[in-house]
């Protein structure tokens, strides 16, 4: 969150294209001072990006900590006001995105299917939080995945995206687990206890969002901790994660497959048929092929972390 031959080459071309285009203005070279009185002007970090970094450093205390409501509001206020230019997304690149969407639409009309790859870059990362940018070509998908023990702020900077998100029903109750007699063919079985790992989840969001829009926030167990992104047009998303993913600390990303609530319902669940429209069964799966991403170097404004 990889392919052979020509597909790999195409992916490399995509990454190289993003690098060549650059999602930030070219670095400003220092000019020699003409005299001792004249001072050289250094390029400045956008105020919003620097404020975001400082606020994150203040409110994120590391694994196991929970943000206070006032801290959540503080970050949301900063992120809500952020613009593409604050992270180096120039007007030139935005026009290129629009052209790519038009070309993609032409290819789809001609019946040629593409393999859009998601690209990401890390603005800043430490043990307590990380700031990342995700670039999704039109029709690209970040499949259903979770954010264990994390609070995540997402800001759609460019484009239109469909977001679907779920929260696991908690605590897990015995009658929330589908009975063996109702199991679906191919469903996951827990090897240690021979029972289903599919868990009941409540739908939190299933909507289209167009930039600029408000920041979305998800928490360790609420707010749509398990979500999926589908780009309708080319999109750019700013993600603030606290704490970031870490396999060493047990915060690895899990992926899921969803089933309709009725697929396992036998009439004994506490959720009635009408409420069932807002629920799904989620089963944990192996990492899907379409979850692979390409990482590129961050070329935008550099944060002052001193």
């Amino acid at each position: 969150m990889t392919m052979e031959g020509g597909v790999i080459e195409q992916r490399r071309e995509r990454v190289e294209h993003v690098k060549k285009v650059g999602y930030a203005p070219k670095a400003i070279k220092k000019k020699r001072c003409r005299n001792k009185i004249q001072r050289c002007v250094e390029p400045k970090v956008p105020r919003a990006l620097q404020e975001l970094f400082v606020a994150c450093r203040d409110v994120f205390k590391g694994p196991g900590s929970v943000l206070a409501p006032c801290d959540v509001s503080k970050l949301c206020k900063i992120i809500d006001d952020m613009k593409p230019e604050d992270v180096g997304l120039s007007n030139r690149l935005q026009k290129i995105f629009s052209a790519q969407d038009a070309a993609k639409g032409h290819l789809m009309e001609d019946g040629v299917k593409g393999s859009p790859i998601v690209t990401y870059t890390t603005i800043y990362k430490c043990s307590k939080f990380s700031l990342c940018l995700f670039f999704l070509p039109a029709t690209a998908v970040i499949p259903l995945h979770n954010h264990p023990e994390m609070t995540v702020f997402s800001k759609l900077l460019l484009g239109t995206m469909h977001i679907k998100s779920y929260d696991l029903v908690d605590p897990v109750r015995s009658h929330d687990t589908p009975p063996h007699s109702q199991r679906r063919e191919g469903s996951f079985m827990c090897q240690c206890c021979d029972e289903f790992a599919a868990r009941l989840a409540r739908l939190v969001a299933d909507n289209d969002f167009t930039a600029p829009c408000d920041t979305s926030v998800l928490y360790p167990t609420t707010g749509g901790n398990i979500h999926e992104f589908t780009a309708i047009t080319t999109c750019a998303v700013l993600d603030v994660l606290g704490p970031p993913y870490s396999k060493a600390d047990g915060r690895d990303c899990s992926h899921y497959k969803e089933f309709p609530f009725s697929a396992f319902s036998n009439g004994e669940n506490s959720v009635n048929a009408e409420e069932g429209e807002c629920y799904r069964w989620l089963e944990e799966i192996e990492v899907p092929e379409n979850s692979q991403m390409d990482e590129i170097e961050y070329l935008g404004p550099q944060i002052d972390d001193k």
Side-chain angles (χ1 to χ4, degrees), residues 93-294:
L93 182 59
Q94 295 179 40
K95 292 179 180 178
I96 292 174
F97 279 173
S98 297
Q100 289 176 339
D101 285 336
K104 183 68 177 180
H106 178 69
L107 289 174
M108 295 301 289
E109 290 176 0
D110 291 345
V112 180
K113 296 182 179 180
S115 302
I117 301 296
V118 176
T119 305
Y120 76 97
T121 187
T122 302
I123 301 173
Y124 181 87
K125 183 177 182 180
C126 65
S127 61
K128 296 181 179 179
F129 67 92
S130 65
L131 310 178
C132 301
L133 275 176
F134 292 85
F135 303 98
L136 291 81
T139 73
V141 177
I142 298 180
L144 208 58
H145 63 283
N146 70 343
H147 295 268
E149 302 177 26
M150 300 159 65
T151 302
V152 181
F153 297 77
S154 295
K155 169 72 172 181
L156 182 61
L157 296 172
L158 291 173
T160 298
M161 173 182 288
H162 186 86
I163 300 178
K164 181 186 289 186
S165 63
Y166 296 96
D167 283 335
L168 292 175
V169 173
D170 192 38
V172 180
R173 296 163 295 188
S174 59
H175 53 266
D176 285 335
T177 304
H180 288 251
S181 60
Q182 295 292 322
R183 72 172 177 261
R184 185 187 183 98
E185 184 178 355
S187 58
F188 178 77
M189 298 285 289
C190 178
Q191 296 180 354
C192 61
C193 59
D194 195 35
E195 291 188 0
F196 288 93
R199 295 182 58 182
L200 190 63
R202 180 177 61 84
L203 184 66
V204 175
D206 191 10
N207 302 301
D208 293 344
F209 296 86
T210 299
C213 54
D214 292 339
T215 303
S216 64
V217 186
L218 62 85
Y219 303 90
T221 59
T222 61
N225 188 279
I226 300 174
H227 64 190
E228 176 183 82
F229 290 166
T230 302
I232 298 175
T233 66
T234 299
C235 296
V237 182
L238 170 65
D239 261 12
V240 178
L241 296 80
Y245 285 111
S246 173
K247 290 184 179 181
D249 296 327
R251 294 189 305 279
D252 196 8
C253 183
S254 297
H255 293 83
Y256 298 85
K257 181 177 181 180
E258 61 179 307
F259 297 96
F261 175 74
S262 58
F264 294 130
S265 178
N266 64 349
E268 297 179 0
N269 280 285
S270 59
V271 179
N272 59 44
E274 184 175 349
E275 292 176 328
E277 295 298 318
C278 298
Y279 289 83
R280 299 288 189 277
W281 292 105
L282 301 184
E283 67 174 15
E284 189 172 337
I285 60 174
E286 297 295 327
V287 179
E289 291 184 2
N290 64 339
S291 69
Q292 303 300 325
M293 298 184 185
D294 285 327

Side-chain angles (χ1 to χ4, degrees), residues 53-67:
F53 166 74
V54 173
C56 288
R57 186 175 58 185
D58 291 341
V59 305
F60 287 114
K61 305 303 181 183
S65 62
V66 179
L67 294 187

Side-chain angles (χ1 to χ4, degrees), residues 24-30 43 299-300:
K26 292 183 179 179
I28 301 175
K29 295 183 178 179
K30 297 180 181 179
L299 302 176

